[in-house]
Amino acid sequence: MEVASARQYEPVIGLEIHVQLATDTKMFCGCELSFGLDPNTRTCPVCLGHPGVLPVPNRRAIEFGLMIGLALGCEIAPRSIFHRKNYFYPDNPKAFQISQYDVPLCSGGELAGVRVHRAHLEEDAAKLVHAGESGRIHGAEASVVDFNRAGTPLVEIVTEPDIHSAAEAAEWARLLRETLRALGVSDVNMDEGSLRVDGNVSIRPAGEATLGVKTELKNMNSFRFLERGLDAEIARQEGILREGGQVEQETLHFDNRTGALSSLRSKEEAHDYRYFPEPDLVPIAPTEAMIEMARAAIPELPLARAERFERDHDLPADSARLLAFRGEQGDFFEAALAVSPSDPRTLANYVVNDVPPGSAATPEAVAKLVDLIGAGTVSRGAAKEVLEVLAAEGGDPEQIVADRGLGAAGGDELGAIVDQAIAENAGAVEKIREGKDQAIGAIVGAVMRQTKGRADGGEVQKLIRERIGA
Ligand code: ADP
Ligand code: MG
Ligand code: ZN
């Protein structure tokens, strides 16, 4: 008999990502897109939902939608249709959102092994600002509505449930963000809400084919929180199943500060929204020329960039990916490589591990440091210290080496230190002469301690062997 508590569970995750498009104007009117401006200063009768107005689709938004679909390897529908998704809420003055339903613009794509179910166009809602204590009206907490966001063009990307851990979900979402950033279709700023990720998650006994009941974590606004939230939810679901209970389908909020999960609402069904075709809009029927234009506008994407780093610069797959999937660091690496092409692996290693994005180090300075190592002017040990200074304060590596006495120990200075280390480690010398070669480590270690890591290990070994005639 199977013991329930010993059972292994497999998480199953699908993501829904809302991407605000970086067009100049809104999806169906000419109002300017904005963030952080005075409330209700970028509105018109269309995005305020006045009766009798007519929507006009934003051509650029459709082009961006096509670029996203093509970049994700989707099929483009020859005639996709706008629908009204009906719901009442204060952020939605029309009482419906124009979205796409059964015929989305893009369907059936794939990115890094995760299938993309669909990507469709829609409009964003207005923003509710909860005024809290200070905004009390008649003793109640007040909320106000800012319609500047209402009508902002969105592409919603929906994956198949192909992801199997919280960490994988966060890493994939990072790759998607970098892909969108490279496309130039969105600011992809999670703090400002231009990229919003919902995580759908269920668990099932390992080896089982049918899906478990899922819950949805809404609007995770950082990849770290997405990962933490999914992990917390996976643990919660496991707890329920192990006690013989059943997971309920619902939408949850994850509190970043406390780590608590709370229920927002039980799940709504598609029929709750009374979808029907938007009578004021014709289908989107992209011409061949529009599709070709969109295809031509797609630059090198992060996955292809990672492959190029691996192939052309001989980088290990993981550092190639780290650089390419974190676009800023990839740019830094390429800028530095242009200055110093001799040792891409060391350079990549430093950019990934020692130069956090936004640090004071410039690509030129890091490139120069790699050259100093290549020339034997600075040891790899001392270079780490130079990097710390570069990252914290910036500056010129040569100057930092001079100011702090970090230059590689060499010549007579190093010779004297090696002689002393040999004299103090007679036992080790004996062993080396007897053929126990690894005993040389003790002498090298003594030299490194004496030089505080400023000597080159290979050089030190060579000197020792020369001197003891081994
Ligand atoms: P809904 O109708 O609740 O919106 P969908 O079938 O449209 O559900 O899927 C929404 C998202 O949830 C998709 O990303 C999908 O991959 C994911 N998903 C669907 N079912 C499951 C499940 N059982 N476990 C995990 N994720 C799921
Ligand atoms: Mg959904
Ligand atoms: Zn408007």
Side-chain angles (χ1 to χ4, degrees):
M1 201 184 81
E2 196 175 5
V3 183
S5 62
R7 194 177 262 171
Q8 291 294 312
Y9 289 100
E10 177 196 42
V12 176
I13 298 169
L15 300 177
E16 294 169 280
I17 301 98
H18 285 91
V19 187
Q20 279 186 353
L21 300 180
T23 50
D24 293 332
T25 55
K26 294 187 180 180
M27 186 67 222
F28 298 113
C29 65
C31 289
E32 180 198 352
L33 289 198
S34 62
F35 180 82
L37 298 187
D38 285 345
N40 299 310
T41 54
R42 298 295 183 280
T43 63
C44 74
V46 174
C47 55
L48 290 174
H50 287 196
V53 298
L54 288 172
V56 178
N58 183 328
R59 183 189 178 100
R60 194 97 184 100
I62 295 172
E63 286 166 2
F64 283 170
L66 292 173
M67 285 172 68
I68 292 172
L70 293 170
L72 298 176
C74 294
E75 298 249 338
I76 305 297
R79 290 166 67 82
S80 72
I81 296 171
F82 285 113
H83 269 70
R84 289 190 181 181
K85 180 181 183 179
N86 298 283
Y87 70 95
F88 172 80
Y89 203 64
D91 65 7
N92 173 27
K94 298 200 291 265
F96 62 85
Q97 175 196 29
I98 303 180
S99 181
Q100 296 195 292
Y101 182 51
D102 51 356
V103 194
L105 183 67
C106 319
S107 55
E110 187 265 347
L111 176 70
V114 174
R115 288 169 301 154
V116 173
H117 178 59
R118 58 187 279 156
H120 68 251
L121 284 166
E122 60 186 29
E123 57 178 341
D124 209 347
K127 196 165 173 174
L128 288 180
V129 183
H130 303 290
E133 284 290 328
S134 60
R136 277 174 180 272
I137 295 176
H138 300 309
E141 280 190 9
S143 294
V144 290
V145 191
D146 176 5
F147 288 99
N148 285 357
R149 194 179 72 177
T152 296
L154 296 177
V155 162
E156 179 177 346
I157 299 166
V158 182
T159 78
E160 298 291 353
D162 286 347
I163 299 169
H164 295 288
S165 75
E168 200 194 314
E171 196 52 27
W172 189 85
R174 279 197 184 92
L175 171 61
L176 178 67
R177 178 173 64 169
E178 287 314 320
T179 302
L180 296 165
R181 194 202 303 280
L183 289 171
V185 295
S186 171
D187 298 339
V188 293
N189 185 331
M190 295 184 88
D191 293 333
E192 295 185 357
S194 50
L195 187 76
R196 311 195 288 268
V197 182
D198 305 337
N200 296 271
V201 57
S202 63
I203 61 173
R204 62 183 172 192
E208 185 97 28
T210 47
L211 295 171
V213 175
K214 75 169 164 85
T215 57
E216 181 170 1
L217 301 186
K218 266 289 180 217
N219 282 339
M220 309 305 291
N221 59 5
S222 89
F223 297 123
R224 221 154 40 81
F225 295 150
L226 173 69
E227 184 172 342
R228 279 182 50 203
L230 286 171
D231 270 333
E233 175 55 9
I234 290 164
R236 190 189 70 90
Q237 290 186 12
E238 267 200 51
I240 293 174
L241 293 194
R242 284 193 197 289
E243 283 174 11
Q246 285 182 333
V247 175
E248 273 188 52
Q249 182 160 332
E250 59 186 340
T251 302
L252 300 169
H253 171 72
F254 175 68
D255 188 316
N256 306 324
R257 278 175 303 257
T258 63
L261 291 154
S262 53
S263 181
L264 287 174
R265 55 176 182 262
S266 61
K267 181 62 193 176
E268 66 280 356
E269 305 282 341
H271 64 244
D272 294 332
Y273 291 116
R274 297 292 187 268
Y275 279 99
F276 65 87
E278 164 59 68
D280 292 333
L281 290 167
V282 296
I284 308 173
T287 60
E288 244 347 278
M290 274 180 85
I291 292 176
E292 276 326 304
M293 252 178 67
R295 206 187 296 281
I298 298 174
E300 183 186 42
L301 297 174
L303 263 186
R305 194 180 200 196
E307 282 164 15
R308 179 167 60 82
F309 285 171
E310 222 183 309
R311 189 182 58 235
D312 294 358
H313 305 310
D314 194 31
L315 297 188
D318 55 344
S319 54
R321 282 176 161 239
L322 279 172
L323 290 171
F325 294 5
R326 288 167 178 71
E328 260 179 81
Q329 284 184 299
D331 293 344
F332 192 107
F333 169 71
E334 292 209 86
L337 197 67
V339 178
S340 169
S342 59
D343 188 353
R345 280 183 175 236
T346 298
L347 189 57
N349 193 1
Y350 287 167
V351 176
V352 168
N353 297 307
D354 302 289
V355 189
S359 87
T362 64
E364 293 71 25
V366 178
K368 203 162 161 190
L369 178 61
V370 171
D371 283 341
L372 294 176
I373 298 167
T377 315
V378 183
S379 71
R380 285 176 187 269
K384 285 281 180 188
E385 202 176 326
V386 179
L387 277 166
E388 274 176 34
V389 180
L390 280 178
E393 302 164 19
D396 172 53
E398 235 169 338
Q399 194 63 46
I400 295 167
V401 168
D403 290 350
R404 303 191 173 221
L406 291 172
D412 292 348
E413 183 202 1
L414 186 58
I417 294 171
V418 169
D419 286 341
Q420 191 192 346
I422 288 172
E424 287 169 359
N425 288 276
V429 173
E430 202 54 41
K431 283 186 188 156
I432 300 167
R433 292 203 170 115
E434 287 166 9
K436 290 180 187 141
D437 207 45
Q438 66 276 30
I440 200 167
I443 311 177
V444 175
V447 174
M448 287 303 181
R449 273 192 300 284
Q450 191 62 33
T451 60
K452 297 200 173 72
R454 288 184 298 115
D456 177 75
E459 168 85 5
V460 171
Q461 288 214 17
K462 203 176 103 210
L463 287 175
I464 296 169
R465 287 182 206 286
E466 275 171 20
R467 280 170 156 72
I468 66 176

